[in-house]
């Protein structure tokens, strides 16, 4: 991925100064991220450049229009609330020389650039409960900033992204097709999923009967999508806005619980290390309710524990589907990588099942 000519690409953005160098950055599964260094009036500055995966995101101009609407609205609200650091608390999209929020290279790739948020970083694994609190609070604040987003519904950048009934159906089709002859090897995982099929309809049914509303949600709330301040440890800015679109808030808190309560890495091969940490769950809920508690309805609050189990299940189904289809969606670094990831997610489902009643009792004490 380092074969891209970032110097030439950067010339298409309305940036001042001289291009110095570009380095691959971050560890996401979908886009290619680079840190791009410039010298401006003798001072080094850096930017984040990203090649948006247009095989996955089919309409990048519409996606970038979503991101511009979301970031501008957030910054306006922060500034109106006298937040002195509005451009550090929400991403700033850079414009191309012809006034667009992205550029194309000669191969037809789409590139975007953001101001680099300095003095803060992202983490792959949560080591301290304070991080969980801050991350969850930040995602809650992000949702809250967008409750009054003007301009109509955002475009669904990946339709049915968290539709767990459809995710289940796609997995069944991948098992049926078995294009890589791998189904035999994952019989235990398939059985595990099939036994729990009824889980996939719970939130969809609540949405269909109007008990939980569609809102603007982030939809990819891993810990490494929120920056925490190096000095204070406080949440600074929510990143990775490609999937910010209409959704259920429970998908956001559920994905946080999935990603942040795991005691091990998402691709850990030693499953004895994988379990869902109760103290992280409790801290996430407290942090999330500190910012989102006043706009959530009772039924949303009642399903916080369920959402963590559901999103782990969904992610497990997605990794299993990709493994069966020949690893065509998520970037992989080794054979069986998606299967390893699937196994950690299904292990998390089990771990949450073991604790769900306790978790539910805890949630009930919070409101
Ligand atoms: P991906 O879709 O590949 O996960 P992200 O948008 O999450 O891409 O970016 C990958 C990583 O790059 C993040 O985890 C974060 O560490 C870093 N990053 C992204 N945007 C910025 C930014 N504006 N300032 C500083 N670091 C950033
Ligand atoms: C992908 O892009 P990244 O790495 O933040 C994926 C998420 C998954 C996650 C699992 C657009 O997120 O939905 O939960 O991997 N993003 C997309 O680690 O599919
Ligand atoms: Mg990311």
């Amino acid at each position: 991925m380092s074969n891209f000519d970032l110097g030439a690409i950067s010339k298409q953005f309305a940036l001042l100064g001289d291009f110095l160098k570009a380095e691959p950055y971050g560890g996401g599964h979908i886009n290619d991220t680079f840190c791009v260094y410039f010298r401006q009036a003798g001072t080094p500055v850096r930017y984040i450049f990203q090649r948006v995966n247009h095989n996955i995101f089919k309409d990048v101009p519409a996606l970038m229009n979503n991101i511009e609407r979301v970031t501008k609205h957030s910054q306006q609200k922060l500034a109106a609330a006298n937040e002195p650091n509005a451009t550090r608390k929400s991403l700033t999209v850079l414009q191309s020389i012809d006034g667009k929020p992205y550029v194309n290279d000669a191969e037809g790739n789409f590139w975007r650039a953001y101001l680099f948020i300095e003095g803060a970083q992202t983490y792959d694994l949560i080591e301290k409960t304070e991080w969980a609190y801050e991350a969850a609070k930040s995602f809650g604040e992000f949702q809250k900033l967008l409750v009054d987003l003007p301009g109509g519904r955002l475009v669904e950048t990946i339709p049915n992204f968290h539709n767990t009934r459809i995710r289940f159906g796609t997995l069944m089709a991948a098992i049926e097709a078995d294009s890589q002859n791998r189904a035999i090897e994952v019989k235990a995982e398939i059985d595990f999923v099939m036994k729990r099929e009824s889980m996939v309809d719970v939130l969809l049914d609540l949405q269909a009967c109007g008990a939980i509303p569609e809102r603007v949600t982030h939809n990819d709330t891993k810990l490494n999508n929120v920056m925490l301040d190096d000095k204070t440890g406080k949440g600074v800015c929510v990143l990775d806005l490609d999937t910010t679109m209409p959704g259920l808030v429970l998908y956001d808190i559920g994905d946080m619980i999935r990603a942040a309560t795991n005691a091990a890495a998402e691709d850990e091969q030693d499953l004895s290390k994988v379990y869902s940490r109760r103290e992280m769950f409790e801290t996430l809920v407290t942090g999330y309710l500190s910012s989102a508690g006043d706009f959530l309805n009772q039924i949303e609050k009642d399903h916080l524990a369920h959402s963590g189990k559901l999103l782990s299940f969904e992610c497990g189904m997605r990794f299993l589907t990709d493994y069966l289809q020949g690893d065509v969606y998520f970037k992989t670094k080794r054979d069986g990588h998606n299967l390893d990831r699937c196994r950690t997610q299904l292990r998390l489902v089990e771990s949450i099942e073991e604790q769900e009643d306790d978790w539910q009792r805890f949630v009930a004490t919070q409101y």
Side-chain angles (χ1 to χ4, degrees):
M1 84 171 189
S2 40
N3 291 334
F4 299 114
D5 186 352
L6 270 300
I9 292 158
S10 68
K11 283 204 179 71
Q12 295 191 62
F13 283 100
L15 288 172
L16 301 173
D18 307 309
F19 170 84
L20 293 177
K21 61 172 179 169
E23 292 167 349
Y25 204 74
H29 297 342
I30 308 293
N31 296 317
D32 296 329
T33 303
F34 296 85
C35 181
V36 175
Y37 294 80
F38 266 64
R39 191 171 37 230
Q40 292 172 344
T43 306
V45 289
R46 48 186 181 163
Y47 297 98
I48 287 287
F49 276 48
Q50 286 178 321
R51 183 175 76 106
V52 184
N53 186 327
H54 61 272
N55 294 320
I56 289 179
F57 298 106
K58 306 285 184 207
D59 187 349
V60 180
L63 176 154
M64 289 310 297
N65 188 49
N66 276 359
I67 294 183
E68 282 215 296
R69 285 177 56 195
V70 163
T71 51
K72 281 184 180 157
H73 180 70
S74 303
Q75 288 193 2
Q76 275 164 10
K77 270 180 87 171
L78 288 163
N82 293 322
E83 166 55 56
N85 266 326
T87 57
R88 195 164 180 261
K89 296 212 127 191
S90 170
L91 285 172
T92 306
V93 181
L94 302 185
Q95 300 294 303
S96 70
I97 44 184
D98 51 0
K100 290 199 304 245
Y102 62 88
V103 304
N104 288 108
D105 66 15
E107 282 79 51
N109 292 306
F110 289 84
W111 290 87
R112 66 172 165 230
Y114 290 120
L115 290 185
F116 194 103
I117 295 170
E118 298 285 356
Q121 55 187 303
T122 54
Y123 299 89
D124 287 329
L125 190 65
I126 296 206
E127 287 162 21
K128 302 179 193 167
T129 47
E130 293 80 17
W131 297 357
Y133 184 90
E134 286 300 322
K137 182 171 173 229
S138 295
F139 281 117
E141 278 165 359
F142 177 83
Q143 291 175 344
K144 197 169 174 176
L145 284 168
L146 299 175
V147 288
D148 55 354
L149 180 75
R153 206 167 178 263
L154 291 171
V155 168
E156 280 188 71
T157 56
I158 301 180
N160 298 311
F161 189 58
H162 283 303
N163 185 315
T164 35
R165 172 49 68 188
I166 290 180
R167 293 287 185 192
F168 184 87
T170 309
L171 172 60
M172 293 304 121
I175 297 167
E176 182 67 30
D178 197 16
S179 64
Q180 314 295 310
N181 295 315
R182 289 175 171 177
I184 182 94
E185 199 193 321
V186 294
K187 192 174 173 312
E189 287 73 19
I190 295 172
D191 289 348
F192 183 101
V193 170
M194 292 186 81
K195 237 195 251 164
R196 290 163 177 79
E197 177 181 354
S198 61
M199 201 195 310
V200 304
D201 294 319
V202 174
L203 297 188
L204 291 167
D205 288 349
L206 288 170
Q207 183 179 12
C209 72
I212 52 178
E214 178 182 282
R215 303 180 190 271
V216 178
T217 50
H218 182 280
N219 295 304
D220 187 4
T221 52
K222 291 202 288 202
L223 180 69
N224 64 14
N225 286 333
V226 56
M227 303 200 79
L228 304 182
D229 190 275
D230 289 340
K231 288 207 185 94
T232 63
K234 299 274 176 213
V236 174
C237 182
V238 166
L239 309 171
D240 212 343
L241 308 181
D242 297 322
T243 52
T244 298
M245 58 184 167
L248 301 180
V249 286
L250 290 164
Y251 297 146
D252 280 1
I253 180 69
D255 203 46
M256 268 182 259
I257 296 167
R258 169 192 84 76
T261 66
N262 188 355
E266 189 177 74
D267 58 359
E268 174 59 57
Q269 289 174 297
D270 177 355
L271 289 181
S272 70
K273 294 185 179 154
V274 178
Y275 59 93
S276 188
R277 293 172 292 181
R278 179 182 173 145
E279 72 281 11
M280 290 298 175
F281 170 77
E282 293 182 355
T283 315
L284 285 169
V285 168
T286 319
Y288 182 59
L289 290 177
S290 78
S291 51
D294 57 355
F295 70 85
L296 299 182
N297 75 25
Q298 193 57 45
I299 297 175
E300 287 169 323
K301 290 179 185 166
D302 289 344
H303 286 79
L304 292 172
H306 173 82
S307 73
K309 183 177 69 175
L310 180 71
L311 269 284
S312 307
F313 190 62
E314 181 198 296
C315 209
M317 288 196 291
R318 293 177 64 196
F319 288 139
L320 185 55
T321 304
D322 201 28
Y323 182 67
L324 288 166
Q325 292 178 336
D327 308 307
V328 290
Y329 185 93
F330 296 104
K331 288 185 197 169
T332 53
K333 293 201 176 110
R334 58 176 187 253
D335 286 348
H337 207 165
N338 274 317
L339 180 55
D340 293 339
R341 290 168 174 154
C342 158
R343 288 181 169 146
T344 64
Q345 300 310 295
L346 300 187
R347 175 67 201 111
L348 282 179
V349 172
E350 261 175 342
S351 174
I352 297 174
E353 282 170 350
E354 287 156 16
Q355 313 176 52
E356 202 173 351
D357 291 345
D358 283 347
W359 281 18
Q360 197 54 38
R361 275 190 286 278
F362 171 79
V363 174
T365 64
Q366 298 302 297
Y367 50 80

